[in-house]
Amino acid sequence: MKIIIKKTYEELSKAAADIIKEAITKKPNIVLGLATGSTPIGCYQELIKMHKEGLDFSKVTTFNLDEYLGLAADHPQSYNYFMYENLFNYININHKDIYIPGGTTKNVEESSKEYEKKIKEVGGIDLQLLGIGSDGHIGFNEPGTPLDSRTQLVKLAESTIQDNSRFFKKREDVPKFAITMGIQTIFEAKKILLLASGENKAEVISKALEGPITPQITASILQKHPDTIVILDTAAASKLKKQYQL
Ligand code: GLP
């Protein structure tokens, strides 16, 4: 694991976008795994700027980590909607090369299998972008999820429902279930880029990066991944025990 610490969220976002830009430049038909949440928004804004300056997404394929069960793609809180609003509407990606789990899919088991199959068909994910939940989840893989899990339907932890209620009118509006890539699905990405910003992530970041590898903090599995880069701002890094250079 390589850990990079930046002073601010803006610098963190730029550093993440630079890594993605370099990867696209090296392999124009790259397969990217993408994340939602507030953390990657700055990185997406940088990528949009880079696109305006010529970065070409026309051969890129993307797979998103997750989606709330029950939210249609045009629901403003759905992750489908989020991705178009925060990135896809502003870059030249072919919409047929965008894959996001469907929140209103009828047969979740079947479509989860299809999702895994599709990832394999395109040769696997080259670069997976991740945020981290305050309970240590990646995607929506909550504490206790077996580390060999694949894309599936999951029940959200109460703490996640509470965290994500800030995006909904009422807490009761937050879906209780979601479809998420599994931990093993994420782990199979050739390169992983985990971002975390702010003091409220400091505790979980110290557990995930320096604590034991455990299904209780699903991000901890990344300690075993051969090519993971973690980019933190100083606030998110403030509870790490080891000293890292800025
Ligand atoms: C959701 C998403 C995760 C994301 C997490 C953190 O639960 N499923 O992929 O990492 O939120 O969100 P934020 O970046 O807003 O803290």
Side-chain angles (χ1 to χ4, degrees):
M1 245 187 194
K2 182 175 169 193
I3 299 176
I4 299 172
I5 301 174
K6 295 287 177 188
K7 280 207 193 84
T8 63
Y9 173 70
E10 289 69 30
E11 286 176 39
L12 168 161
S13 301
K14 175 75 168 61
D18 281 341
I19 291 173
I20 297 173
K21 179 186 175 184
E22 198 191 314
I24 298 174
T25 309
K26 245 193 214 154
K27 186 178 179 188
N29 65 343
I30 194 168
V31 179
L32 293 177
L34 296 178
T36 54
S38 45
T39 310
I41 291 178
C43 170
Y44 293 154
Q45 285 169 353
E46 289 294 335
L47 288 174
I48 292 167
K49 259 194 241 160
M50 290 170 175
H51 169 63
K52 285 193 184 129
E53 289 155 11
L55 183 61
D56 180 21
F57 288 83
S58 66
K59 296 190 182 71
V60 173
T61 298
T62 63
F63 286 88
N64 260 81
L65 284 167
D66 46 15
E67 178 58 288
Y68 289 114
L69 186 74
L71 299 195
D74 61 355
H75 188 292
Q77 304 311 333
S78 76
Y79 286 166
N80 275 265
Y81 192 90
F82 173 101
M83 286 310 302
Y84 281 86
E85 279 291 297
N86 287 291
L87 182 66
F88 297 145
N89 284 340
Y90 307 100
I91 58 173
N92 67 331
I93 188 166
N94 277 311
H95 288 194
K96 67 168 181 44
D97 298 325
I98 294 170
Y99 296 89
I100 308 177
T104 52
T105 174
K106 285 208 182 71
N107 190 336
V108 178
E109 209 176 311
E110 196 53 41
S111 60
S112 300
K113 277 192 195 139
E114 279 298 312
Y115 207 66
E116 290 280 335
K117 206 172 127 200
K118 196 70 213 171
I119 294 173
K120 285 223 166 73
E121 259 172 40
V122 298
I125 293 171
D126 293 303
L127 174 57
Q128 174 68 56
L129 183 62
L130 293 176
I132 185 169
S134 62
D135 61 2
H137 70 230
I138 45 176
F140 264 136
N141 293 290
E142 299 287 26
T145 307
L147 298 177
D148 61 356
S149 66
R150 294 214 163 262
T151 303
Q152 62 173 343
L153 180 67
V154 292
K155 189 172 189 311
L156 300 182
E158 279 306 316
S159 58
T160 299
I161 293 175
Q162 182 57 39
D163 287 349
N164 292 358
S165 65
R166 69 188 194 275
F167 299 112
F168 292 80
K169 271 201 200 116
K170 303 193 293 291
R171 193 181 192 276
E172 298 76 67
D173 294 342
V174 187
K176 306 226 167 352
F177 294 88
I179 302 156
T180 182
M181 271 187 206
I183 300 173
Q184 184 62 28
T185 322
I186 295 169
F187 193 81
E188 284 171 8
K190 291 166 197 118
K191 190 182 189 81
I192 294 179
L193 188 52
L194 173 75
L195 311 180
S197 161
E199 217 183 313
N200 62 329
K201 295 287 169 72
E203 184 76 40
V204 79
I205 277 294
S206 87
K207 286 183 185 159
L209 306 192
E210 296 184 338
I213 297 173
T214 162
Q216 292 314 314
I217 304 280
T218 54
S220 65
I221 190 72
L222 301 175
Q223 292 178 33
K224 282 216 296 203
H225 189 272
D227 189 7
T228 285
I229 300 178
V230 181
I231 311 182
L232 308 170
D233 58 14
T234 39
S238 60
K239 292 202 171 146
L240 288 174
K241 290 182 192 71
K242 277 192 224 141
Q243 289 294 315
Y244 300 92
Q245 277 192 333
L246 276 188

